[in-house]
Amino acid sequence: MADSTSMDDCVPSIASIRDAAAHIKVTRTPVVTSKTMDERSGCTVFFKCELFQRTGSFKFRGASNAIRKLNDEERRNGVCTHSSGNHAQALALAAKLAGIKATIVMPENAPAVKRAAVESYGATIVTVPATQRDREEGAARVVRETGATMIPPYDHPDIISGQGTIALELFEQVDGSLDFLIVPVGGGGMLSGVSIAAKTLCPDVQIVAAEPKGADDAYRSITSGEYVPLVAANTIADGLRTSLGAITWPIIRDRVAHCITVSEEEIIAAMRLVWERMKLVIEPSAAVGVAVLLSAEFADLARETAGNLGRSPRVGVVLCGGNVSLDRLPWQN
């Protein structure tokens, strides 16, 4: 079941992540390297390319896992979610493949390319103002009126477990060892799942949350040790304009070693660099992780670790998606 869970069920684990990996049908995305990025960061870097996942982002993993856990009654009533785009696309396709109706509540500022993709998968779109409250209230209204099962974009164990399969693949692809793993964070579903798997497979890896300065609730929460909600977001990284969840926050609090924030200028520069030098079409949310890799704050961490190890640190970076409007590239504005 994807929505009604007991508290005991609300704690994803390495077992639930491995179960998801055994059952969901997703693309095993490649890991790529770049001499340019190694030279600029002073590290040996491995980029996990979730832009090549179905629907263009990691979100298809969690959505597929949540859909497969529905019971017969929930399948008949359909599913609902609220999302700025990537989870919307993922759930729309996962539902379509399972023969289930999907209703997606999207903010009015969602990128047109993501809205078009959701529509192409046959989902019904309900447009609301671009606030977290309006998104949640809009989804709750759909659930009341249709009986659909709510599948949230990040704060659910089935979603988190699905996203954790990224790390299972990554550590197999890099022979099981990383010193740092940089993961963008919005609501924290990917960061939570990846952290659970990564710290199980490689206990010494340092998890680094990557976040825009204009949506820095994870940074403020980790720094204070207490949950700090995101009141308003101002960032080009539309996939990261959400607050941490009740389930994701404790997982992140207990496993993430560092949270580094980057400016809009750094995000845009990193996105353009990846496009130009790595020939990978990433979206701004993915560029946040690259910007952190190239930041002065991470350089300090890397130098300290290199001194302790006597070698360049091995760093994983999750490129979480590649859904971007080609008509509105940020460096052209």
Side-chain angles (χ1 to χ4, degrees):
M1 183 181 296
D3 190 50
S4 299
T5 57
S6 68
M7 287 306 295
D8 289 340
D9 294 327
C10 287
V11 183
S13 65
I14 189 63
S16 65
I17 293 170
R18 285 176 170 148
D19 179 66
H23 291 94
I24 60 177
K25 296 179 179 180
V26 298
T27 300
R28 182 181 173 90
T29 55
V31 169
V32 303
T33 58
S34 164
K35 289 184 179 180
T36 296
M37 293 300 186
D38 287 356
E39 291 170 356
R40 295 199 179 198
S41 66
C43 303
T44 301
V45 189
F46 304 90
F47 294 91
K48 180 63 169 166
C49 295
E50 286 296 291
L51 61 152
F52 295 124
Q53 188 53 260
R54 297 191 71 172
T55 71
S57 86
F58 74 95
K59 292 284 192 177
F60 188 67
R61 296 174 182 269
S64 297
N65 195 45
I67 287 289
R68 81 173 179 93
K69 302 290 286 292
L70 294 171
N71 62 36
D72 289 343
E73 181 181 357
E74 289 168 330
R75 286 173 177 268
R76 286 192 297 271
N77 291 336
V79 294
C80 175
T81 196
H82 59 85
S83 168
S84 63
N86 283 345
H87 178 63
Q89 293 178 71
L91 186 63
L93 179 57
K96 178 181 179 180
L97 293 174
I100 297 171
K101 179 182 178 181
T103 302
I104 312 297
V105 175
M106 300 188 74
E108 58 191 0
N109 63 349
V113 65
K114 297 183 179 182
R115 290 181 62 91
V118 171
E119 291 174 341
S120 74
Y121 296 134
T124 299
I125 295 177
V126 176
T127 303
V128 297
T131 70
Q132 185 74 7
R133 180 176 179 178
D134 285 312
R135 287 162 55 149
E136 292 175 352
E137 289 180 350
R141 185 167 56 251
V142 170
V143 169
R144 287 194 307 269
E145 294 174 354
T146 68
T149 294
M150 174 65 188
I151 299 185
Y154 52 86
D155 206 33
H156 194 281
D158 295 337
I159 295 292
I160 295 168
S161 296
Q163 319 307 23
T165 62
I166 296 169
L168 295 185
E169 291 179 7
L170 174 60
F171 278 91
E172 288 180 357
Q173 291 165 311
V174 300
D175 298 325
S177 176
L178 290 173
D179 301 303
F180 294 96
L181 180 51
I182 300 174
V183 186
V185 58
M190 175 172 61
L191 179 59
S192 297
V194 166
S195 296
I196 291 169
K199 295 298 284 185
T200 300
L201 299 170
C202 184
D204 292 334
V205 67
Q206 297 185 57
I207 309 295
V208 181
E211 191 173 43
K213 289 185 184 295
D216 65 347
D217 60 302
Y219 173 80
R220 289 181 285 123
S221 297
I222 291 169
T223 301
S224 68
E226 298 182 356
Y227 173 69
V228 179
L230 180 65
V231 177
N234 183 20
T235 177
I236 191 174
D238 61 285
L240 308 183
R241 295 173 185 157
T242 52
S243 289
L244 298 177
I247 301 174
T248 62
W249 159 236
I251 297 170
I252 291 167
R253 178 195 61 205
D254 296 342
R255 291 170 176 81
V256 172
H258 313 280
C259 186
I260 298 176
T261 60
V262 287
S263 68
E264 297 299 285
E265 292 76 16
E266 289 174 295
I267 296 168
I268 294 169
M271 181 177 169
R272 182 167 186 169
L273 179 65
V274 171
W275 279 48
E276 291 180 342
R277 302 305 294 270
M278 295 179 69
K279 314 305 179 187
L280 296 174
V281 178
I282 62 169
E283 62 185 79
S285 296
V288 172
V290 182
V292 165
L293 171 73
L294 301 175
S295 69
E297 186 173 348
F298 184 75
D300 291 340
L301 291 174
R303 278 193 295 269
E304 180 181 355
T305 299
N308 293 335
L309 297 174
R311 60 167 173 79
S312 298
R314 289 165 57 88
V315 181
V317 180
V318 179
L319 299 180
C320 55
N323 292 315
V324 60
S325 173
L326 299 181
D327 296 325
R328 298 182 61 187
L329 299 178
W331 51 82
Q332 294 177 334
N333 295 334

